[in-house]
Amino acid sequence: MECMLADVYLSLAISLSLCVESRVLGFRAAASSSASSFWLSFALMARALARPTLGLTQPADVDVPKSGDIIAVGVTERDIAEDENSIFQNSILERLDAQLSGLLAEAFSEEDFTGKSGQSVVLRLPAIGSKRVAGIGSKRVSLIGLSQSASTPTAFRGLGEAVAAAAKAAQASNVGIVLASSEGLSAESKLTTASAMHLVKILIRTVLGINDDTRYKSESRKLTLKSVDILGLESGPELDKKLKYAEDVSSGIIFGGELVNSPANVLTPSVLAHEASKIASTYSDVLSATILDVEQCKELKMGSYLGVAAASANPPHFIHLCYKPVGGTAKVKLALWWLQYQDRTCCIIELMKFDMGGSAAVLGAAKLIGQIKPPGVEVHFIVAACENMISGTGMRQGDIVTASNGKTIEVSNTDAEGRLTLADALVYACNQGMEKIVDLATFTSACTVALGPSIAGVFTPSDDLAKGVFAASELSGEKLWRMPLEESYWGSMKSGVADMVNTAGRQGDAIRAALFLKQFVDEKVQWLHIDMGAPVWNGKKKAATGFGISTIVEWVLRNAS
C-alpha cells in the first residue's frame, strides 16, 4: 500500500478576523462578569485558480449563501448533574434552562442525553413574532457531549467537528460556542496557554468540518457558515496569535487534504513539483526549491527510486524544499520531512490516491512552516515523486536495483515500492547533514490491521526523538503508537543474490519495512518512521483527513528557538 497521485488546486482560502463584541447572552456566565465574548469571523472565499482537465468534468464553483444561527453548548457528563429539585447544578445550564422554560431538562430526559462523547441534541426554538423564545436570537441550541472532561485534546477536536456537523445540517451562517464546564476555556480574563490550545483545536476542527472538497463535482453543497462566536475569553495579543495559528493550520491541512483527494490524471509528478515550487515562491523569504530530474537522479545513483519510476510515461521529479529562518542562522539542522509520492496498481486501486498521504503532509507542512516562520531551525522537506505503473519498461519480481548508498536490493514484491523510493530519499537526506529525520509514509496494510483506522504506527531506535514527536502529537490530537523495531526479524530480509529483499511476507511486514528503511540511515542521525496508511483517509466521508501536518508542525515548533 505504498502510493498514488493527486491534484493541488486549493479552492478555499480561510481568513480569520477578530473583533470584540459586547453580545449579551443570559447564559454567558461561564466567564467572569468582566469577560467579554470575542467574535471570530471566517471569510470563506473561492480562489480563482487554473482548472484541471478531467475530460468533461470541471471543478464546481463555490457559492456562499446566508442562512441560520445556532448556539452550541459543550457539555460533560458531570455538567448535567441536578439537585433534589431537578435544577441543574451547573450555572450555565441552569441559566440556559431557565431561559428556555425547562426545554433543556426536558430534552436531556427525553433524548437520553448524558454528555457522553459523540452524543448531540439539537433544539429548534420557536419564534414568537419576530423574536425567539427567551430573547435568544438563535434558531437552534445544540448540546454536544464531551465525555468526562472538557480539557482533553480529543474532547476539543470532537467539539469542533460536532459544531461543524450541526452548522452544516442547520445551514447556519453564525454559530456561538460556549462550554458548560469551566475547566476547559479559562474563565479568567488572561488567556492561558492551555485555553489557547483548546481554542485552536475547536477552531481548526470546525473549519475542517465545514470544508467539503467539491472541486470535481458538477454541483457542490453550498457553504453557509461565516462566523463562530466563542464566549468567555478576553481579546488580546495572545489570542490574536492563536487565531492566526488556527488559520494557518487549517489552510495547511485543507491544502494537504486536497492533494490526497485529487486524481492521478490531474496531478502528475511534474505538476506536484510545480506546486512545490509555487509554495517556495510564495514564501521565498524563507523557502527555496530544488527539483531534480531523471538525469540528475541518475548522477546521484538513485537506482532504487528510478527503478520504481521506470514503467511510467510521466517522468519522476525529486522535490527538495529547504526552510531557513528569516534574519539569522539556524542553531541546528534538526528536522527533515520527506516521503515518496507515487501511483500504483493494487486490489483497491480506486482508493490508492490516498497512498501519497505522507507527501501531502510534507508539502502541507512546508506551506504552514512558510507561513509561521519559526526561528532557529532549518527544515528540509523532501518528496521522491514518481508513479509506480505496469509496462514493458517496469520492474519485475527478481530484479536487482542499487540504491545511492551502494546497497543492492532484490525486488521480491513490486507492490512494496514505497520503501524503494524512500531508501534513496533517506540517503539523500543524510547527505544534507541533518541531525534528525522523520518520515511519514502510507506504508503497510499490516500497520493498518494492527492499529485500525485512527492510529499511526511509529518506529524509531531513538527514545529522545520519539518523546519529542509524541509530545507534538499530544498537542495536535493526532494519535500515534510506538511499535517494536525487532532486529531479529531482519534475518528474513536477507537475499541470496543481493544485500536484501524489499519484503519477506505478510507477518510483521510493518516492522520489516521499518528495518529495511533503517539500512539507509546514517547511524549518527536520529530517525523516526511514521506508518500512517489508515489515518490519512476517512472512509465514511470518502475524503482525506490531512493527517500528519499538524503533528509535523508542532514538532518543528517545539525544536525552534
Side-chain angles (χ1 to χ4, degrees), residues 185-203:
L185 297 179
S186 174
E188 303 173 359
S189 60
K190 182 180 179 181
L191 184 68
T192 66
T193 300
S195 295
M197 291 311 299
H198 295 334
L199 168 66
V200 167
K201 291 181 179 67
I202 294 173
L203 298 181

Side-chain angles (χ1 to χ4, degrees), residues 12-24:
L12 190 64
I14 299 176
S15 171
L16 309 177
S17 59
L18 178 71
C19 62
V20 176
E21 264 199 354
S22 58
R23 278 184 146 193
V24 178

Side-chain angles (χ1 to χ4, degrees), residues 2 42 55 67 70 83 95 168-169 227 239 289 305-306 310 336 346 389 393 424 436-437 451 458 480 523 555 557:
E2 294 169 20
F42 299 87
S67 65
I70 189 169
D83 61 17
R95 188 169 300 189
K168 289 172 71 173
S227 59
L239 183 57
Y305 164 55
L306 293 176
L336 174 99
C346 169
M389 302 293 285
T393 61
D424 279 326
K436 298 179 183 180
I437 297 176
L451 298 178
V458 170
L480 305 177
E523 292 183 356
W555 182 68
L557 295 180

Side-chain angles (χ1 to χ4, degrees), residues 434-448:
M434 295 300 101
E435 297 179 18
K436 298 179 183 180
I437 297 176
V438 174
D439 77 75
L440 301 95
T442 53
F443 229 41
T444 65
S445 57
C447 207
T448 299

Side-chain angles (χ1 to χ4, degrees), residues 42 77 118 160 195 207 235-236 325 328 348 359 414 417 453 459 470 472 483 497 529 559:
F42 299 87
E77 295 179 47
S195 295
V207 172
S235 63
I348 51 172
S359 54
T414 57
E417 82 291 351
F459 300 84
F470 274 87
M483 304 289 280
V497 293
H529 164 58
N559 284 281

Side-chain angles (χ1 to χ4, degrees), residues 2-319:
E2 294 169 20
C3 209
M4 189 153 193
L5 297 178
D7 165 42
V8 182
Y9 300 92
L10 180 60
S11 61
L12 190 64
I14 299 176
S15 171
L16 309 177
S17 59
L18 178 71
C19 62
V20 176
E21 264 199 354
S22 58
R23 278 184 146 193
V24 178
L25 295 177
F27 58 92
R28 205 192 61 183
S32 61
S33 58
S34 62
S36 62
S37 66
F38 70 84
W39 185 262
L40 176 65
S41 177
F42 299 87
L44 302 176
M45 302 173 294
R47 277 210 332 213
L49 296 174
R51 295 186 173 201
T53 300
L54 284 176
L56 298 178
T57 304
Q58 293 291 334
D61 293 327
V62 177
D63 190 16
V64 187
K66 301 176 180 180
S67 65
D69 288 313
I70 189 169
I71 294 293
V73 185
V75 182
T76 69
E77 295 179 47
R78 287 178 288 181
D79 293 332
I80 63 174
E82 299 176 345
D83 61 17
E84 63 276 5
N85 298 316
S86 298
I87 297 176
F88 289 108
Q89 296 181 25
N90 180 278
S91 60
I92 294 177
L93 295 182
E94 184 273 329
R95 188 169 300 189
L96 177 58
D97 192 46
Q99 286 190 286
L100 296 177
S101 302
L103 286 177
L104 195 63
E106 184 178 324
F108 278 22
S109 175
E110 293 183 357
E111 300 289 341
D112 194 25
F113 181 86
T114 61
K116 293 184 182 298
S117 178
Q119 287 187 323
S120 63
V121 175
V122 178
L123 305 177
R124 183 173 176 83
L125 307 183
I128 303 176
S130 60
K131 297 182 179 180
R132 297 281 160 185
V133 297
I136 295 177
S138 296
K139 296 178 182 179
R140 295 172 177 83
V141 173
S142 176
L143 307 172
I144 299 170
L146 299 177
S147 191
Q148 291 288 336
S149 174
S151 60
T152 65
T154 300
F156 282 95
R157 284 169 60 95
L159 176 58
E161 291 167 355
V163 168
K168 289 172 71 173
Q171 294 189 343
S173 59
N174 307 107
V175 172
I177 301 176
V178 63
L179 291 179
S181 175
S182 61
E183 65 176 316
L185 297 179
S186 174
E188 303 173 359
S189 60
K190 182 180 179 181
L191 184 68
T192 66
T193 300
S195 295
M197 291 311 299
H198 295 334
L199 168 66
V200 167
K201 291 181 179 67
I202 294 173
L203 298 181
I204 290 173
R205 303 320 297 186
T206 300
V207 172
L208 298 180
I210 64 172
N211 179 71
D212 289 325
D213 188 355
T214 59
R215 294 166 299 154
Y216 304 109
K217 293 186 177 182
S218 58
E219 295 182 5
S220 61
R221 183 171 182 174
K222 295 179 179 179
L223 299 174
T224 59
L225 188 60
K226 298 183 298 181
S227 59
V228 179
D229 184 21
I230 300 183
L231 308 179
L233 294 176
E234 289 282 6
S235 63
E238 181 64 22
L239 183 57
D240 291 343
K241 291 179 182 178
K242 295 303 178 185
L243 291 175
K244 180 61 169 63
Y245 180 71
E247 173 191 357
D248 291 342
V249 172
S250 299
S251 65
I253 293 176
I254 289 172
F255 175 76
E258 291 193 341
L259 285 176
V260 176
N261 288 337
S262 299
N265 62 329
V266 171
L267 188 63
T268 62
S270 62
V271 173
L272 185 65
H274 175 68
E275 292 299 330
S277 296
K278 283 169 57 178
I279 294 174
S281 177
T282 301
Y283 307 104
S284 58
D285 56 332
V286 289
L287 280 172
S288 60
T290 300
I291 311 296
L292 304 181
D293 60 21
V294 173
E295 293 305 318
Q296 290 170 308
C297 291
K298 286 180 179 179
E299 291 177 5
L300 294 175
K301 299 182 180 180
M302 295 182 175
S304 186
Y305 164 55
L306 293 176
V308 175
S312 177
N314 293 311
H317 288 73
F318 194 95
I319 302 164

